[in-house]
Amino acid sequence: MMTAARPADPSLGGGDIDRYPYADAPAGLDRPGGAPSWDGGDADMGRVGRRPAGSRGRGLHGQLVQQLGQMIVSGDLGADRPLVPEEIGQRFEVSRTVVRESLRVLEAKGLVSARPNVGTRVRPVSDWNLLDPDIIEWRAFGPQRDDQRRELFELRWTIEPLAARLAAGHGREDVQQRLVDMTDIMTHAVGQGDGLTFSRADAEFHALLLQVAGNRMLEHLSGIVTSALQVSGGPVTGCERPGEHSVALHTRVVEALAASDGAEAETAMRQLLAVHADTGPGGSPDHVVPAPREH
C-alpha cells in the first residue's frame, strides 16, 4: 500500500501531490455502496479502486496510476504542473520503475506529456482521452461527477436508439436469447428489490445491443458505456428506474428485434432512455437525459 513518505517540500508548489495519501482519498471519490460489477470488487485496490481489471493493472503500479490519475482529473494537479519522477517515488515510496511505468500509462490516456528538456507535465482537459474507461471512472466520482454523467447520458441518447434500429436487422438467435435472459433477470431483480442485479443485467443488455448493431465503431463504444454504467454508483443507469415499466420497455426492444422492426426498436429505446432527474442530497440533478427534439 502506498503512503505519503514525508511532509511536502515547499519547493514543489505547496506539496499538492501529498494532499491525499492513497488510503485517504477525497470523499468525492469514494463510491457509495461499491460499483456494480459481475465479479465484485478488487480488495487490493482499496476504497478508490474497485474495478478488477483495466489498463492501469494491479499492485503498486496500478495504485499509483489510480492515485495520480484521480488527482489530475480532480484538478489537484493542474494543467502544466511538472511531475518529477524522483519526487513522486519518494513521496509514495515506490521505485523509479513503478513511477516510470505509471507515467507512461497516464501519457497514453492523454493526461500527461513527456518531452525532452521539459520533463513530464500535466496536460489540459482538451488533450485527455475522455472515452478512456479509467478517466470516465475518475470523472464520475470526482468534482466533475455531474458533467460526466450528463455527457454520458447525452452520448447514450445519441447512439443507443440508432444501435437498436440497426440491431433489428441482425437476427442472431444466440444474442436474442441472451437479451431475453437479461430481461428475465431484471424481472426477478425487480421482484426482489435487488437494484444491483438489475444494474448488472441492464448494463449487459445495452452492451449487447451495441455489439450486434453491425457497426464496428458502435461495437467499440459498448465497452465504454458498460464501464461507465458499472461505476454509476447506484441502481439507476440512465434508463427508466428499475421497475415493471422499465422491464416492459426492455421487453419491447427485444420483441422489436425479434420482429426485425427497426423503427419500433428505436422508439422503445428512446422511451427506455427516459427523461428524468434524480435529485441528490445537494438538491441538484444527478441524472439528466435530454428530451428528443421535434422535427
Side-chain angles (χ1 to χ4, degrees):
M1 179 67 80
M2 293 183 300
T3 58
R6 60 186 59 133
D9 185 334
S11 66
L12 298 178
D16 288 345
I17 204 166
D18 284 327
R19 288 183 57 197
Y20 301 119
Y22 184 78
D24 298 306
L29 297 174
D30 193 19
R31 296 178 200 173
S37 172
W38 286 110
D39 299 323
D42 183 349
D44 291 340
M45 296 301 291
R47 290 195 308 132
V48 293
R50 302 286 174 82
R51 277 197 297 122
S55 59
R56 62 174 177 267
R58 299 173 182 267
L60 291 177
H61 164 248
Q63 292 175 19
L64 185 58
V65 170
Q66 176 87 336
Q67 176 81 354
L68 294 177
Q70 288 178 338
M71 294 176 74
I72 292 170
V73 170
S74 69
D76 290 308
L77 295 176
D80 207 37
R81 168 67 186 267
L83 299 176
V84 181
E86 292 78 8
E87 294 167 350
I88 295 174
Q90 290 177 357
R91 275 159 176 71
F92 295 107
E93 297 182 342
V94 294
S95 69
R96 284 180 292 180
T97 299
V98 170
V99 175
R100 185 165 55 249
E101 292 302 316
S102 299
L103 291 177
R104 285 177 180 172
V105 172
L106 295 175
E107 184 174 17
K109 298 177 185 295
L111 294 178
V112 305
S113 62
R115 297 194 301 273
N117 303 320
V118 176
T120 301
R121 291 181 175 272
V122 176
R123 300 174 71 174
V125 178
S126 58
D127 292 340
W128 299 355
N129 177 9
L130 296 179
L131 296 181
D132 182 279
D134 285 330
I135 295 179
I136 289 174
E137 175 182 335
W138 297 332
R139 293 185 74 210
F141 295 97
Q144 301 177 41
R145 174 175 178 267
D146 289 344
D147 286 341
Q148 174 64 87
R149 293 190 173 189
R150 173 184 56 79
E151 290 167 2
L152 169 64
F153 296 149
E154 291 172 351
L155 175 65
R156 295 185 65 199
W157 184 263
T158 301
I159 65 176
E160 291 196 49
L162 172 62
R165 173 185 283 273
L166 295 175
H170 298 268
R172 288 179 50 184
E173 293 184 5
D174 58 333
V175 174
Q176 184 73 18
Q177 183 57 53
R178 188 61 178 166
L179 290 171
V180 171
D181 291 343
M182 291 303 101
T183 58
D184 289 344
I185 291 173
M186 284 186 272
T187 299
H188 181 74
V190 167
Q192 298 295 316
D194 186 352
L196 181 59
T197 297
F198 185 99
S199 295
R200 292 169 170 174
D202 180 59
E204 180 163 344
F205 183 98
H206 291 272
L208 281 170
L209 281 180
L210 290 171
Q211 291 165 11
V212 300
N215 182 303
R216 291 183 178 178
M217 296 187 73
L218 287 177
E219 181 178 353
H220 178 74
L221 292 175
S222 67
I224 295 168
V225 171
T226 299
S227 295
L229 293 178
Q230 288 178 339
V231 299
S232 63
V236 179
T237 60
C239 293
E240 270 288 314
R241 287 180 175 275
E244 293 182 1
H245 185 232
S246 177
V247 174
L249 288 173
H250 283 87
T251 301
R252 274 186 58 192
V253 173
V254 173
E255 292 174 346
L257 296 181
S260 297
D261 188 342
E264 170 63 11
E266 180 177 3
T267 297
M269 180 58 71
R270 289 200 181 278
Q271 293 180 9
L272 187 53
L273 298 174
V275 177
H276 65 276
D278 298 327
T279 303
S284 61
D286 280 343
H287 304 272
V288 178
V289 180
R293 297 180 180 178
E294 297 296 334
H295 295 284

